Amino acid sequence: MTLNPRDPDPGYLAFWREHHLSTLTTHRPDGSPHVVPVGVTYDPGAGLARIITGKASRKVAHIRAAGPGGAPVAVCQVDHARWATLEGTATVSTDPAAVAEAVRRYAERYGRTPRENPDRVVIEIALTRAMGRG
């Protein structure tokens, strides 16, 4: 089913608050998909999904290579027959306040604060579509 990513039903939102790892799909310069496991937080009020990572990661390189307008991406999580996908345009932020907010949300969802990392950035996905089956 397709949902409004800024106004998901309660069950969909609850699924995104459970402790699940997800996959992030970006595109390599040749157009082939690059899929990696990530921790994701979902903020429907802001219309964002956030991923914390190191600035030297391949996923960051793929997003930056798309240019200042960002890159089309998808994040997906699965638990048996339940699944949820968020799609949108990803950009990379080094803004300390944005990174701190992403770390705070990660700690809230995953129950642990990540170690300090001076090379940490946040991938912010401006959401355009939400899909899933609960």
Side-chain angles (χ1 to χ4, degrees):
M1 84 178 138
T2 301
L3 304 160
N4 177 348
R6 294 189 69 107
D7 187 27
D9 69 57
Y12 190 82
L13 185 55
F15 185 41
W16 277 103
R17 290 187 172 147
E18 294 174 11
H19 189 288
H20 298 287
L21 289 180
S22 300
T23 58
L24 168 68
T25 303
T26 59
H27 294 93
R28 295 182 182 99
D30 69 2
S32 64
H34 177 253
V35 183
V36 294
V38 293
V40 178
T41 62
Y42 175 29
D43 180 358
L48 291 174
R50 295 176 178 93
I51 299 164
I52 56 175
T53 190
K55 67 181 179 184
S57 71
R58 293 303 315 150
K59 56 190 164 285
V60 166
H62 295 155
I63 293 165
R64 286 184 168 157
V73 301
V75 289
C76 182
Q77 66 181 22
V78 178
D79 180 42
H80 300 282
R82 296 185 307 160
W83 62 274
T85 299
L86 297 169
E87 296 179 359
T89 303
T91 55
V92 177
S93 177
T94 60
D95 175 68
V99 173
E101 177 64 8
V103 168
R104 183 190 71 75
R105 288 175 177 274
Y106 178 96
E108 183 178 279
R109 180 173 189 197
Y110 293 103
R112 69 173 192 85
T113 301
R115 64 174 168 72
E116 288 293 319
N117 179 355
D119 294 328
R120 181 171 288 133
V121 297
V122 59
I123 296 170
E124 294 180 323
I125 305 168
L127 300 172
T128 57
R129 179 180 293 168
M131 300 172 288
R133 180 170 161 234

